[in-house]
């Protein structure tokens, strides 16, 4: 079946602009995660949804970052007043539930470049 | 806070050589352990995982990893590598309870020369 998809694959924006990054999880997966991967680093956790609610947003770096999942499926990561330091690959992952036995399946990521 | 350390940033081997990639983690409680792989141009995918039981875990493509609790280590091994194993390898941990957010190491780039 279809895997996790993310759009756009690449996004170039100017400092100070607002961006939205979209994640379509695998159908039926209730758990959804956002990670951010900077150059030369491993992915870093941002936020986790169980269903429609953000169960853990402890990884969001500041209040410019916000994410929603209104119907428990598609999620959107929103970044306000982008800064050059926000440039990274933003990864989305989904799993059937949020149990350790459930594998997290990753999408291809959105490469965000802030000029 | 949890942290994961991968000591090798870039490893270069010839085909048929044996591989061991180091991974150490810092966390006082019980953890789940993972190795993920990212082949060139592809998504991150799970290679193997450890939850409990036998500390020697076998994964896909002939990879295995051994959990040594006393050393806080989860090293990845393969007895004979192939050119197709060229990829970036990430070790990760998660807590056994609650949200399964993964804490990743910085990754090891593996290059296999034919």
């Amino acid at each position: 079946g279809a895997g996790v998809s993310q759009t756009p694959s690449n996004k170039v924006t100017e400092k100070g602009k607002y961006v939205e990054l979209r994640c379509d999880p695998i159908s039926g997966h209730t758990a959804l995660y956002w990670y951010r991967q900077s150059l030369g680093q491993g992915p870093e956790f941002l936020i986790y949804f169980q269903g429609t609610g953000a169960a853990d947003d402890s990884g969001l770096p500041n209040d410019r970052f916000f994410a929603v999942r209104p119907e428990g499926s598609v999620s959107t990561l929103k970044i306000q007043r982008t800064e050059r330091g926000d440039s990274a690959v933003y990864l989305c992952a989904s799993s059937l539930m949020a149990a350790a036995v459930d594998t997290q399946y990753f999408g291809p990521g959105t490469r965000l470049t802030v000029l | 806070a949890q942290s994961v350390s991968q000591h090798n940033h870039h490893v270069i081997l010839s085909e048929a050589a044996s591989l061991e990639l180091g991974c150490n983690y810092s966390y006082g409680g019980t953890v789940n352990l993972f190795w993920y792989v990212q082949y060139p141009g592809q998504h991150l995918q799970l290679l193997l995982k450890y939850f409990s039981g036998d500390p020697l875990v076998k994964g896909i493509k002939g990879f295995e990893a051994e959990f040594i609790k006393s050393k806080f280590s989860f090293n990845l091994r393969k007895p004979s590598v192939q050119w197709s194993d060229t990829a970036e390898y990430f070790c990760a941990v998660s807590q056994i309870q609650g949200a399964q957010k993964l804490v990743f190491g910085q990754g090891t780039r593996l290059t296999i020369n034919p």
Side-chain angles (χ1 to χ4, degrees):
Chain A
V4 177
S5 62
Q6 293 185 246
T7 54
S9 55
N10 280 285
K11 176 71 177 177
V12 180
T13 191
E14 293 179 343
K15 181 174 177 293
K17 299 290 188 184
Y18 167 83
V19 297
E20 289 190 352
L21 312 179
R22 176 187 168 108
C23 172
D24 279 87
I26 294 171
S27 178
H29 280 193
T30 63
L32 186 146
Y33 303 81
W34 283 99
Y35 295 85
R36 177 169 73 171
Q37 186 173 17
S38 300
L39 194 63
Q41 302 296 317
E44 292 179 295
F45 169 78
L46 295 176
I47 186 169
Y48 152 66
F49 288 89
Q50 180 58 47
T52 60
D56 185 341
D57 64 358
S58 61
L60 294 178
N62 52 60
D63 61 5
R64 295 187 297 105
F65 289 75
F66 187 71
V68 295
R69 195 186 184 197
E71 298 178 357
S73 177
V74 171
S75 176
T76 305
L77 179 65
K78 308 180 180 194
I79 310 174
Q80 298 176 321
R81 305 182 304 280
T82 52
E83 299 177 358
R84 292 195 180 88
D86 298 335
S87 296
V89 176
Y90 289 81
L91 297 170
C92 177
S94 72
S95 65
L96 190 59
M97 300 285 286
V101 296
D102 295 323
T103 297
Q104 290 187 31
Y105 295 90
F106 282 81
T110 293
R111 182 176 298 278
L112 175 67
T113 303
V114 182
L115 301 177
Chain B
Q2 296 170 312
S3 67
V4 177
S5 178
Q6 293 181 242
H7 313 296
N8 314 104
H9 297 289
H10 189 192
V11 173
I12 302 173
L13 295 172
S14 298
E15 276 192 309
S18 65
L19 169 72
E20 181 159 4
L21 300 183
C23 172
N24 288 88
Y25 68 93
S26 172
Y27 181 63
T30 305
V31 297
N32 302 311
L33 295 153
F34 307 82
W35 276 96
Y36 277 81
V37 61
Q38 188 166 25
Y39 297 103
Q42 296 188 25
H43 310 178
L44 266 174
Q45 58 184 281
L46 183 68
L47 202 53
L48 49 78
K49 57 187 177 184
Y50 171 82
F51 298 138
S52 63
D54 188 345
L56 185 62
V57 180
K58 295 193 183 298
I60 60 172
K61 303 187 180 185
F63 285 91
E64 65 179 31
E66 184 175 13
F67 170 48
I68 303 179
K69 189 173 181 180
S70 61
K71 295 184 178 180
F72 296 89
S73 71
F74 191 55
N75 292 355
L76 181 71
R77 301 195 293 248
K78 186 171 183 178
S80 177
V81 294
Q82 300 172 302
W83 177 79
S84 59
D85 293 325
T86 294
E88 184 118 24
Y89 292 81
F90 294 92
C91 181
V93 303
S94 69
Q95 293 178 280
I96 61 168
Q97 301 292 340
Q100 291 300 300
K101 56 186 180 183
L102 297 169
V103 176
F104 285 87
Q106 73 269 38
T108 296
R109 184 154 63 102
L110 176 65
T111 301
I112 306 299
N113 292 323

